[in-house]
Amino acid sequence: MRRVLVGIKRVIDYNVRVRVRPDGNGIVTDGVKMSINPFDEIALEEALRIRERGEADEVVAVSLGPDDTQQQLRTALAMGADRAILVRTDLAVEPPVVARVMQKLVERESPIIVILGKQAIDDDCNQVGQMLAALWDRPQATCASKIEIKGQTARVTREVDAGLETIEVDLPAVFTADLRLNEPRYVKLPDIMKAKKKPLDVTDLAAIGVAPTERLKVLRYEPPPQRQKGVMVKDAAELVAALRQKGLV
Amino acid sequence: MNRILIVAEHAGGRLNAAIAKCVSCAATMPDGEITIAVLATDGAAVAQAAAAISGVTRVLLVDHPANEPALAAVLAPQVARLAEGHSHVLGPSTTFGKDLMPRVAALLDAAQVSDVMTVESAQRFRRLVYAGNAIVTVEAVGGRQIVATVRVASYQAAAAGGSAKVEAVKLDVALPAHTRFVSVTAARNDRPDLQTASRVVSGGRALGSAENFALIQRLADRIGAAIGASRAAVDAGYAPNELQVGQTGKIIAPELYIAIGISGAIQHLTGIKDARTIVAINKDAEAPIFEVADYGLVGDLFSLIPEIEKHL
């Protein structure tokens, strides 16, 4: 069985205006819409396309999070994942712990490919894929904008500062999805019904055998300083004059 | 003492300007000793450039045929070996550093702090989360090594004038063959680099086409600016991906940033919040970009750009 593992993180929906709690102990989450991390949705879409092209047989969506994360995994199943695994924890786990959990799941599932989002839009860490690749001692292709499977290898185009970099990796490997890898499909109502019947295994950190070791203690959150709104100029001449006066042009 | 190792990014025999900014970040740690690691194929020139950064104590040069072009899977085990005896390992928060440093952190079983914007102590750091909507202060616990990427837009480059000694190092580390470089799109050298330019002109979706995006190029060339683009403009194919400014593109801190036809999504604003002066030109007076702009001009970009050029 050629299997693709996809990481799914439950995050505050990207349309929500994120606010810091007045006590500085976190982010306002009461009544806030939660969704699949957008980069993970792209990762899942890519896994589905790989399967649909006949280059893999099964797509397994995996997540680490509280019980409610089952909602996001059901969405992943409705998008087309074959089955899902939730490793339950109420702790805010750090990327090294997530990478270790992923490593355990990799040992259990023996995938040919693991695809994750390049970063989560909550902590913006951009770490788990690379850490998993290191622990697994396998190739990584991060910030992927194109993935071509060619037998036992894959050719991946990556978005890098210089432009587009192409690398070739032996499978199994870890890929992380960038924005332009694909456009995720919409979920149709019949698929939501079908997804209810797909298997969703729930386990927990202890059963998986990973300790949620704290490495970074969060001391406080604060809102970022706001830039002061400047002045409106009436035309191009006034703008250029203002910039010239400040020595900017 | 805090012994800080900085991993040098370089290409074509030139040290990336982000490294002098990483040195500035490292220099804010108390009681620090700064070493730069240059992993290259023939890295003597890069090592000399690193040694000339003020505040650097020594440069470790590891020449190996496999080290260029840089591949994280090849570099990580070497960096992990060099990290022995160091309390901190830093890299720039560029696509090079973001790719490499977590792999190093996992090999070292270290704590990793991404995108450090402020150092409060050798263990305590501030960084942006939620696309720049919050700043979190974190403290490394458990006495592990600390791996960090440095948000380069938060730091000025350390001055030149250093004279660190360069030590050639041979590492006995097995390097993987499972990852192979194929190609990279050639970088254009006839314009200022987006990440380090003092002036940037960016275009957004309102440009309407790749052909019209030439207006942005023309204005940029006129004032010696680098070119940037919003995610919408890149998604629409008006500009290549490496020009994207914002949370998932480049985070920049130029003296002058001119946003033309860019509405100002939060992800874009995150990429420019450290710019000294922001100019916004947009036909929608309600566009969020005007909330952060020092100078705002409402109007049609197709008539305003030529007018600006006339007055320059």
Side-chain angles (χ1 to χ4, degrees), chain A residues 12 14 16-20 27 29 39 94 96 100 118-119 121-128 130-135 137-143 153 155 158-170 178-180 213-237 239-240 242-244 246-249, chain B residues 70-72 94-96 98-99 102-103 105-107 109-115 120 124 126-141 144 177-185 187 195 199 223 231 234-235 241-242 244 247-248 250 255-256 258 266 272-279 281 290-298 304 307-308 311-312:
Chain A
I12 294 177
Y14 78 102
V16 172
R17 180 92 192 157
V18 169
R19 283 176 299 128
V20 175
I27 299 296
T29 52
F39 290 104
E94 299 172 39
R100 276 174 174 69
K118 74 164 179 178
Q119 68 191 66
I121 62 165
D122 49 8
D123 60 24
D124 284 325
C125 278
N126 193 337
Q127 296 178 9
V128 173
Q130 297 89 312
M131 288 179 168
L132 170 62
L135 297 173
D137 198 14
R138 293 305 306 167
Q140 68 189 47
T142 57
C143 304
T153 66
R155 192 168 269 232
R158 308 178 50 232
E159 296 208 1
V160 297
D161 290 338
L164 296 172
E165 181 192 78
T166 303
I167 61 173
E168 187 181 74
V169 299
D170 296 337
D178 212 322
L179 283 173
R180 283 172 280 272
T213 314
E214 184 180 54
R215 288 157 201 252
L216 295 178
K217 185 184 279 297
V218 173
L219 300 182
R220 65 176 177 275
Y221 285 88
E222 59 195 294
Q226 297 298 313
R227 282 184 81 102
Q228 293 301 310
K229 190 179 159 108
V231 296
M232 300 302 286
V233 293
K234 68 177 190 306
D235 56 23
L239 175 63
V240 173
L243 296 180
R244 191 164 280 146
K246 288 183 88 176
L248 291 168
V249 292
Chain B
L71 293 167
T94 56
T95 52
F96 165 84
K98 289 175 182 176
D99 191 35
R103 190 158 183 131
L107 294 178
D109 198 16
Q112 184 181 335
V113 188
S114 293
D115 302 313
E120 294 205 328
R124 194 178 288 190
R126 294 167 83 230
R127 58 180 300 266
L128 289 165
V129 290
Y130 291 94
N133 279 309
I135 298 170
V136 66
T137 305
V138 295
E139 185 168 70
V141 292
R144 296 168 193 271
H178 54 48
T179 306
R180 296 169 292 276
F181 174 84
V182 176
S183 64
V184 67
T185 48
Q195 232 145 5
R199 296 170 190 159
I223 61 170
R231 178 191 164 187
V234 175
D235 282 352
N241 67 285
E242 66 267 25
Q244 184 173 320
Q247 174 65 11
T248 63
K250 292 195 166 88
E255 291 292 314
L256 173 64
I258 303 181
I266 181 71
I272 60 169
K273 64 201 310 168
D274 292 306
R276 189 69 62 85
T277 299
I278 297 176
V279 173
I281 298 171
F290 289 120
E291 295 301 314
V292 301
D294 298 282
Y295 299 102
L297 178 54
V298 177
L304 285 173
E307 271 182 57
I308 289 168
H311 287 95
L312 281 170

Side-chain angles (χ1 to χ4, degrees), chain B residues 17 32 49 61 64 70 91 199 241 251 256 264 301-302:
Chain B
L61 173 59
H64 190 288
R199 296 170 190 159
N241 67 285
I251 293 174
L256 173 64
L301 66 93
F302 295 103

Side-chain angles (χ1 to χ4, degrees), chain A residues 131-225:
Chain A
M131 288 179 168
L132 170 62
L135 297 173
W136 192 13
D137 198 14
R138 293 305 306 167
Q140 68 189 47
T142 57
C143 304
S145 66
K146 189 176 177 193
I147 297 173
E148 298 167 276
I149 311 298
K150 299 182 170 184
Q152 300 304 305
T153 66
R155 192 168 269 232
V156 181
T157 303
R158 308 178 50 232
E159 296 208 1
V160 297
D161 290 338
L164 296 172
E165 181 192 78
T166 303
I167 61 173
E168 187 181 74
V169 299
D170 296 337
L171 300 180
V174 178
F175 305 142
T176 72
D178 212 322
L179 283 173
R180 283 172 280 272
L181 180 58
N182 59 52
E183 216 168 294
R185 65 196 64 189
Y186 288 103
V187 173
K188 296 188 217 69
L189 191 61
D191 297 329
I192 295 173
M193 304 310 290
K194 257 190 274 174
K196 289 182 179 162
K197 298 199 182 75
K198 289 184 178 177
L200 195 169
D201 294 337
V202 180
T203 178
D204 59 32
L205 278 179
I208 287 280
V210 174
T213 314
E214 184 180 54
R215 288 157 201 252
L216 295 178
K217 185 184 279 297
V218 173
L219 300 182
R220 65 176 177 275
Y221 285 88
E222 59 195 294

Side-chain angles (χ1 to χ4, degrees), chain A residues 55-124:
Chain A
E55 293 156 356
D57 307 303
E58 187 184 48
V59 173
V60 184
V62 303
S63 191
L64 181 60
D67 245 336
D68 288 345
T69 309
Q70 291 192 35
Q71 295 161 10
Q72 281 67 44
L73 286 174
R74 285 290 168 204
T75 304
L77 292 169
M79 271 181 75
D82 297 291
R83 57 189 175 89
I85 303 169
L86 171 62
V87 180
R88 208 173 48 196
T89 177
D90 290 324
L91 300 168
V93 285
E94 299 172 39
V97 173
V98 182
R100 276 174 174 69
V101 168
M102 291 297 298
Q103 184 193 13
K104 294 285 187 186
L105 294 174
V106 159
E107 285 167 9
R108 218 164 79 176
E109 302 284 343
S110 305
I112 57 164
I113 296 167
V114 178
I115 314 183
L116 308 172
K118 74 164 179 178
Q119 68 191 66
I121 62 165
D122 49 8
D123 60 24
D124 284 325

